[in-house]
Amino acid sequence: MLRTTLRNLAANKLRLLTTGLAVLIGVAFMSGTMILSATMAETMDDMFASAYEGTDALVRSSSVIETPEGTEIRPRIDEAVVDQLAAVDGVAVAQADVWGVAQVIGRDGDPVGQPEMGPPTVGASWPVDELNTWTLEEGRAPAAADEVVIDRKTAEDGGYAAGDRAQVLVNGAPIDVTVSGVVTFAGADSPGGASFSLFTVEAAQQHFGEVGKVDSVSLAAEEGVSQEELVERIAAIVPGGLETITGDEFIQENQDAMAEATAFFDQFMMVFAVVALLVGGFTIFNTFFITVAQRTKQHALMRAIGASRRQVLVSILLEAVVIGIIASAIGLGAGVVIAAGLKAMLTAFGVALPAGGMVFGLGTAVVAFSAGLIVTVVSAVSPARKAGKVPPIAAMRDIEVSSSGYGSKERIMVGVAVLALGAAGLLYGLFGSPSNGLAIVGGSAIVVFFGVSVLGRTVSLPMSRVIGWPLAKSRGIAGHLARQNAMRSPKRTAATAAALMIGVGLVSFITIFASSTKASFNDVIDRAFTGDVVITSPQQFGGSGGMSPELTERVAALPEVETAAGVRGGVVEVDGSVEFLLAADEATFDVFDVEPVAGSPDDLDATSIAVFEDVAQDRGLSVGDTVDAAFVATGPQELTVALIYGENQPAGDWLLGKAAYEANYVDQLDAQIFIKGADGVAQEDVLAAVEAEAAAFPGAKVLDQNEYKAEQLAFVDQMLGLVYAMLALAIIIALLGIGNTLALSIFERTRELGVLRAVGMTRRQLRSTIRWESVIIAVQGAILGLAIGIFFGWALVAALAEEGLTVFAIPVATLVWVVVLAALAGVAAAILPARRAARLDVLRAVVSE
Amino acid sequence: MTITDRSTSDRGVAEVPLAASTVHASKVYGKDATEVRALDDVTVGFETGRFTAIMGPSGSGKSTLLHCIAGLDTLTSGSAYIGETDLSTLDDNHLTVLRRDQVGFVFQAFNLVPTLTADENVTLPLALAGRKGDRDWIDEVVRTVGLEDRLDHRPSELSGGQQQRVAVARALASKPRIIFADEPTGNLDSRSGSDVLQFLRAAVDDFGQTIVMVTHDPVASSYADRIVFLGDGKVVDEMVQPTAERVLDRMKQFGD
């Protein structure tokens, strides 16, 4: 049986190739994703391990607030503890660590790095020699307050060398410094692509830390003292409010945090790999389905000469196994290339990844390989069963290969049930807020696709009829024949279209989601943007960084400006839950119309807080009540509700006055400055005046309403671009499927094509017939996908209404383009099959044996 | 070279102009040891308005001859003409257009496009040319072959005989210069077969159509005005006004 199978495969190399290609791409993508994430994980792990190589213990504050994004924020500790710790027996060296935000300004005047998207720009203290893991490539360590050492990547991007004068943005304002040295880290230009500005401890405290305080103390043990021993000895003397962990624990903590931060990315990529394999599965199913029908005679003959039903079935499954093994193996190899490509693509999209070799683990190989094999074999089960059912007598009959059929009543009922189940699961996952919502939604989405493909053959006929109608009317006999051909086997047309349906479904879903997000946020931003001009600053990923309040003051002093409201942000724990809050000078509240409902902005002092109406209602708060708040820097505080306001754009849910913010936060930086022009001054004059002031603050961007909107929504387009690029893969696989089906159909229709050619169909007419058939199939898949995508989009947008997605926007023009592109893709998919058909030997087709 | 030159010099007599002809036509398959000479220097003409049958045992080259004159296959050497057009001078596109506009076909089986109705099959060559055709003529043809009430049916809903009648109607619909029929009754029972042959005969008698038919059936060939006998790729004999008996007798001689 195996020999027969192998012979069959060898005899149909082209089919082997096209079938295998669908699996190959899916496996390649899956292994590529896994290789990339393993590579990233290992690079990051190595980075932390070598960064804290000599650190045996770390002392830091034990009070911590974890932001909703998972970042731990701790208050700084008194620097006196450094000397105390250095005196402990067994401590070789105690090092003060100061961390903060600093951004080198390049020679061109623009800040180096893109902390909003990529790795952070870090300000830190220069380590002591014993714990120093930097390698000085040029110059020397910083010795004075205006000396900085920068990493080589930053030096190259900024255009600096040791000895150069430069500027560094600290606390939202530029300071003049000298680059005293350039460092590399463990052989790389920079650790993980981050930008580092390293100052002396004193300078670091002064520029971006707190004078007299440090973030943590790193300790190296003396020879013969273990990490645990060291921790024990220190624990005895450290003051209350501090905690001590071993160096190994600290490394592990950093590695875990990084793994958590990148987990989303891994899942994101894995989704596309699964989609690619799913689409590949459809293609495989279809190919086997058609070839089994074409080989009916062969199977009947095998049955007639004594092969059992099971043997025929097994022979087809064996074929699938062989294809699965070959394609998955090649796919694994191709995965390395894909991983490199993905890395390049992510870099192009602005996500910087560390350089380094690829990590190809056994786990990757096993998972991707088995996924490919399983998808192939499972997809072949139903066609194989069909092959097994061929009666021996079929060998003697002349069988019409094309199989019509719109699906039995049972099938329709099953299809509707599956579809309903999927839709219900999806809605439950979205609206029922179960704990594993994402998995339920994803699984249900797959079930919906399945439901539609079960019903496919029922809806295919009318769809082909309608889609083909204009072709038949306008394209003469070629269009007419194309339409008839698409209609002749609804089962096949439907299965072919289904592969494209998935890709288009996801594309249109994402497009609708993105446009709804934009439309919703447009509305929000319109509400948020209440002044005439706004200044934004480069925000780090965690929300730190900002502009010096000096800029706000200078802008406010301009004659063209009536009010300038600097808005600051931070985290606070209110009654146990961590919340973001904003703060601004209460005198400027009118710029962003908070619409007071109760109380007054004037009452906001150092111990009071303002709450958004809805939140106040939920928590049963009214003016005069107190809330238990906890801040990173100052710990638990009791605040009085002084104001309840009715508009949370841009004010957010919790708002502090200037005094309360200054009392409870260390950094006093404005994240955004909302500016209202003076009466009678034209918008462009306000803009020009503000721009002139802001020029002294690199990184500060002066924007009008439209620019602000565009900037706020830029991330949506960026994500969209990335998602489109990923889904393009699923669509390419689907196109291969269409091409494959057409090629197999043409093989079946050899005679008929011969007749057409004999009675006068030109090659060009024949090609166009096949092309239009392909277009009908592609458009059908696109329309089905569109319908599903619109449903998915609607469901998700509706589910996220509470999160601010209030507008459901269908980008009609874009979706029309999707269908047009699908049609064009259909044309592309038909190129090779059409050429093959046109080259058919007319005579061989019409001569009967 | 003109038709007159060719017909006078090669056949000696020029009673009627030729609708199709070959001059020193040879067709060789394979090379050297495996070489098969399917046509060996065949010079033959088919007169306009007449029904010619090509007969011969299997492997005599009769189908090859038909395919080469009809522009479905190419000669190794020599020339084939439809009217005055030398087929070897045409590329695939022009050859296709020539088949579409000037040639009609009736094959033994698989004549029709399964996705088209009988009516659409009949008008297929016209549709391919982007023409409506002469509807009165088409109606008359359809009536003649008795398909008026079958026009909306697909080939799968028609009997074998009906399918061949559709094929005959298609061949006639575009008023081609010449119709080639390749064993048109080969797959039919005798009743359906004689129907089809009668229609072909009527097309010649009533409409002045030119028909060339390949057959190995003496009865079928008796409907023709003239029979050309082929053997081993050569023209071995001719017979004018044949009857089934005479053909059978002649065939027996081949057996000797």
Coordinates of all heavy atoms in Angstrom, one line a residue, chain A residues 376-424:
Chain A
T376 N -2.5 18.3 8.2 CA -2.5 17.6 6.9 C -3.4 16.3 7.0 O -4.3 16.1 6.2 CB -1.1 17.2 6.4 OG1 -0.2 18.3 6.7 CG2 -1.1 16.8 5.0
V377 N -3.1 15.5 8.0 CA -3.8 14.2 8.1 C -5.2 14.4 8.4 O -6.1 13.8 7.8 CB -3.1 13.3 9.1 CG1 -3.8 12.0 9.3 CG2 -1.6 13.0 8.7
V378 N -5.5 15.3 9.3 CA -6.9 15.5 9.7 C -7.7 16.0 8.5 O -8.8 15.6 8.3 CB -7.0 16.5 10.9 CG1 -8.5 17.0 11.1 CG2 -6.5 15.8 12.2
S379 N -7.1 16.9 7.7 CA -7.8 17.5 6.6 C -8.1 16.4 5.5 O -9.0 16.5 4.7 CB -7.0 18.6 5.9 OG -6.7 19.6 6.9
A380 N -7.3 15.4 5.5 CA -7.4 14.3 4.5 C -8.4 13.2 4.9 O -8.7 12.4 4.1 CB -6.0 13.7 4.2
V381 N -8.8 13.2 6.2 CA -9.7 12.1 6.7 C -11.0 12.0 5.9 O -11.3 10.9 5.4 CB -10.0 12.3 8.2 CG1 -11.1 11.4 8.6 CG2 -8.7 12.0 9.0
S382 N -11.7 13.1 5.8 CA -13.0 13.0 5.1 C -12.8 12.6 3.6 O -13.5 11.7 3.2 CB -13.7 14.3 5.2 OG -14.7 14.5 4.3
P383 N -11.9 13.2 2.8 CA -11.7 12.7 1.5 C -11.3 11.2 1.5 O -11.7 10.5 0.6 CB -10.6 13.6 0.9 CG -10.6 14.8 1.7 CD -11.1 14.4 3.1
A384 N -10.5 10.8 2.4 CA -10.0 9.4 2.4 C -11.2 8.5 2.7 O -11.3 7.4 2.1 CB -8.9 9.2 3.5
R385 N -12.1 8.9 3.6 CA -13.3 8.0 3.8 C -14.1 7.9 2.5 O -14.6 6.9 2.2 CB -14.1 8.7 4.9 CG -13.6 8.4 6.3 CD -14.3 9.3 7.3 NE -15.7 9.3 7.2 CZ -16.5 8.5 7.9 NH1 -16.0 7.6 8.8 NH2 -17.8 8.5 7.7
K386 N -14.2 9.0 1.8 CA -14.9 9.0 0.6 C -14.3 8.1 -0.4 O -15.0 7.3 -1.1 CB -14.9 10.4 0.0 CG -16.0 10.6 -1.0 CD -16.1 12.0 -1.6 CE -16.8 11.9 -2.8 NZ -16.8 12.9 -3.8
A387 N -13.0 8.1 -0.5 CA -12.3 7.2 -1.4 C -12.6 5.7 -1.0 O -12.8 4.9 -1.9 CB -10.8 7.4 -1.3
G388 N -12.6 5.4 0.3 CA -12.8 4.1 0.7 C -14.2 3.6 0.4 O -14.5 2.4 0.2
K389 N -15.1 4.5 0.2 CA -16.5 4.1 -0.1 C -16.8 3.9 -1.6 O -17.9 3.5 -1.9 CB -17.5 5.3 0.4 CG -17.7 5.3 1.9 CD -18.7 6.3 2.3 CE -18.7 6.5 3.8 NZ -19.3 7.8 4.2
V390 N -15.8 4.1 -2.4 CA -16.0 3.9 -3.8 C -16.3 2.4 -4.1 O -15.5 1.5 -3.6 CB -14.7 4.3 -4.6 CG1 -14.8 3.8 -6.1 CG2 -14.5 5.8 -4.6
P391 N -17.4 2.0 -4.7 CA -17.7 0.6 -4.9 C -16.9 0.1 -6.1 O -16.5 0.8 -7.0 CB -19.2 0.6 -5.3 CG -19.4 2.0 -5.9 CD -18.4 2.9 -5.2
P392 N -16.5 -1.2 -6.0 CA -15.7 -1.8 -7.1 C -16.3 -1.6 -8.5 O -15.6 -1.4 -9.5 CB -15.7 -3.3 -6.7 CG -15.9 -3.3 -5.3 CD -16.8 -2.2 -5.0
I393 N -17.6 -1.6 -8.6 CA -18.3 -1.5 -9.9 C -18.0 -0.2 -10.6 O -18.1 -0.1 -11.8 CB -19.8 -1.7 -9.7 CG1 -20.5 -1.9 -11.0 CG2 -20.4 -0.6 -8.9 CD1 -20.2 -3.1 -11.7
A394 N -17.6 0.8 -9.8 CA -17.3 2.1 -10.3 C -16.2 2.0 -11.4 O -16.1 2.9 -12.3 CB -16.9 3.1 -9.3
A395 N -15.4 1.0 -11.3 CA -14.3 0.8 -12.2 C -14.8 0.6 -13.6 O -14.2 1.0 -14.6 CB -13.4 -0.4 -11.8
M396 N -16.0 0.0 -13.7 CA -16.5 -0.3 -15.1 C -17.4 0.8 -15.6 O -17.8 0.8 -16.7 CB -17.4 -1.6 -15.0 CG -16.5 -2.9 -14.8 SD -16.1 -3.0 -13.1 CE -14.7 -4.1 -13.1
R397 N -17.8 1.7 -14.7 CA -18.7 2.8 -15.2 C -17.9 4.0 -15.6 O -16.8 4.3 -15.2 CB -19.6 3.1 -14.0 CG -20.7 2.1 -13.8 CD -21.9 2.8 -13.0 NE -21.4 3.3 -11.8 CZ -21.9 2.9 -10.6 NH1 -22.8 1.9 -10.5 NH2 -21.5 3.5 -9.5
D398 N -18.6 4.7 -16.5 CA -18.0 6.0 -16.8 C -18.6 7.0 -15.9 O -19.8 7.2 -15.8 CB -18.4 6.3 -18.3 CG -17.3 7.2 -18.9 OD1 -16.2 7.2 -18.4 OD2 -17.7 7.9 -19.9
I399 N -17.7 7.6 -15.1 CA -18.3 8.5 -14.1 C -18.1 10.0 -14.4 O -17.0 10.4 -14.8 CB -17.6 8.2 -12.7 CG1 -17.9 6.7 -12.3 CG2 -18.1 9.1 -11.6 CD1 -16.9 6.2 -11.4
E400 N -19.1 10.7 -14.3 CA -19.1 12.1 -14.4 C -18.4 12.6 -13.1 O -18.9 12.3 -12.0 CB -20.5 12.7 -14.5 CG -20.6 14.2 -14.6 CD -20.3 14.6 -16.0 OE1 -20.1 13.8 -16.9 OE2 -20.4 15.8 -16.3
V401 N -17.2 13.3 -13.2 CA -16.5 13.6 -12.0 C -17.1 14.7 -11.2 O -17.1 14.7 -10.0 CB -15.0 14.0 -12.4 CG1 -14.3 14.4 -11.2 CG2 -14.4 12.9 -13.2
S402 N -17.7 15.7 -12.0 CA -18.2 16.8 -11.2 C -19.3 16.4 -10.3 O -20.2 15.5 -10.7 CB -18.7 17.9 -12.2 OG -20.1 17.7 -12.4
S403 N -19.3 16.9 -9.1 CA -20.4 16.5 -8.2 C -21.1 17.8 -7.8 O -20.6 18.7 -7.3 CB -19.7 15.9 -6.9 OG -18.9 16.8 -6.4
S404 N -22.4 17.7 -8.1 CA -23.2 18.9 -7.7 C -23.7 18.7 -6.3 O -23.1 18.0 -5.5 CB -24.3 19.1 -8.7 OG -25.0 17.9 -8.8
G405 N -24.7 19.3 -6.0 CA -25.3 19.1 -4.6 C -25.1 20.4 -3.8 O -24.1 21.0 -3.7
Y406 N -26.3 20.8 -3.3 CA -26.2 22.0 -2.5 C -26.2 21.6 -1.0 O -26.3 22.5 -0.2 CB -27.5 22.8 -2.7 CG -28.0 22.7 -4.1 CD1 -29.2 22.1 -4.5 CD2 -27.2 23.3 -5.2 CE1 -29.6 22.0 -5.8 CE2 -27.6 23.2 -6.5 CZ -28.8 22.6 -6.8 OH -29.2 22.5 -8.1
G407 N -26.0 20.4 -0.7 CA -26.0 20.0 0.7 C -27.4 19.5 1.1 O -28.4 20.1 0.8
S408 N -27.3 18.4 1.9 CA -28.6 17.8 2.3 C -29.2 18.7 3.4 O -28.6 19.6 3.9 CB -28.3 16.4 2.9 OG -27.5 16.5 4.0
K409 N -30.5 18.3 3.7 CA -31.2 19.1 4.8 C -30.4 18.9 6.1 O -30.3 19.9 6.8 CB -32.6 18.5 4.9 CG -33.7 19.5 4.5 CD -35.0 19.0 4.8 CE -36.1 19.8 4.0 NZ -37.1 19.0 3.4
E410 N -30.0 17.7 6.3 CA -29.2 17.4 7.6 C -28.0 18.3 7.6 O -27.7 18.9 8.7 CB -28.8 16.0 7.6 CG -29.9 15.0 7.8 CD -30.7 14.7 6.5 OE1 -30.1 15.0 5.5 OE2 -31.8 14.1 6.6
R411 N -27.4 18.4 6.5 CA -26.1 19.2 6.4 C -26.4 20.7 6.8 O -25.7 21.3 7.5 CB -25.5 19.1 5.0 CG -24.1 19.6 5.0 CD -23.5 19.6 3.7 NE -22.2 20.2 3.7 CZ -21.1 19.6 4.0 NH1 -21.1 18.4 4.2 NH2 -20.0 20.3 4.1
I412 N -27.5 21.2 6.2 CA -27.9 22.6 6.4 C -28.2 22.8 7.9 O -27.7 23.7 8.5 CB -29.1 23.0 5.6 CG1 -28.7 22.9 4.1 CG2 -29.6 24.4 5.9 CD1 -29.8 23.2 3.1
M413 N -28.9 21.8 8.5 CA -29.2 21.9 9.9 C -28.0 21.9 10.7 O -27.8 22.7 11.7 CB -30.2 20.8 10.3 CG -31.6 21.2 10.1 SD -32.7 19.7 9.9 CE -32.5 18.9 11.4
V414 N -27.1 21.0 10.4 CA -25.8 20.9 11.2 C -25.0 22.2 11.0 O -24.5 22.8 12.0 CB -24.9 19.7 10.7 CG1 -23.5 19.8 11.2 CG2 -25.6 18.4 11.1
G415 N -25.0 22.7 9.8 CA -24.3 24.0 9.5 C -24.8 25.1 10.3 O -24.1 25.9 11.0
V416 N -26.1 25.2 10.3 CA -26.8 26.3 11.0 C -26.5 26.2 12.5 O -26.2 27.1 13.2 CB -28.3 26.3 10.8 CG1 -29.0 27.3 11.7 CG2 -28.6 26.7 9.3
A417 N -26.6 24.9 13.0 CA -26.3 24.7 14.4 C -24.9 25.0 14.8 O -24.7 25.7 15.8 CB -26.6 23.2 14.8
V418 N -23.9 24.6 14.0 CA -22.5 25.0 14.3 C -22.3 26.5 14.3 O -21.7 27.0 15.1 CB -21.6 24.3 13.2 CG1 -20.2 24.8 13.4 CG2 -21.7 22.8 13.4
L419 N -22.9 27.1 13.3 CA -22.8 28.5 13.1 C -23.4 29.2 14.4 O -22.8 30.2 14.9 CB -23.5 29.0 11.9 CG -23.3 30.4 11.4 CD1 -21.9 30.7 11.2 CD2 -24.1 30.7 10.2
A420 N -24.6 28.8 14.8 CA -25.2 29.4 15.9 C -24.4 29.2 17.2 O -24.2 30.1 18.0 CB -26.6 28.8 16.1
L421 N -23.8 27.9 17.3 CA -23.0 27.6 18.5 C -21.8 28.6 18.5 O -21.5 29.2 19.6 CB -22.5 26.2 18.4 CG -21.7 25.7 19.5 CD1 -22.6 25.4 20.7 CD2 -20.9 24.4 19.1
G422 N -21.2 28.7 17.3 CA -20.0 29.6 17.3 C -20.4 31.0 17.6 O -19.7 31.7 18.4
A423 N -21.5 31.5 17.0 CA -21.9 32.9 17.3 C -22.2 33.1 18.8 O -21.8 34.1 19.4 CB -23.1 33.3 16.4
A424 N -22.9 32.1 19.3 CA -23.3 32.2 20.7 C -22.1 32.2 21.6 O -21.9 33.0 22.5 CB -24.2 31.0 21.1

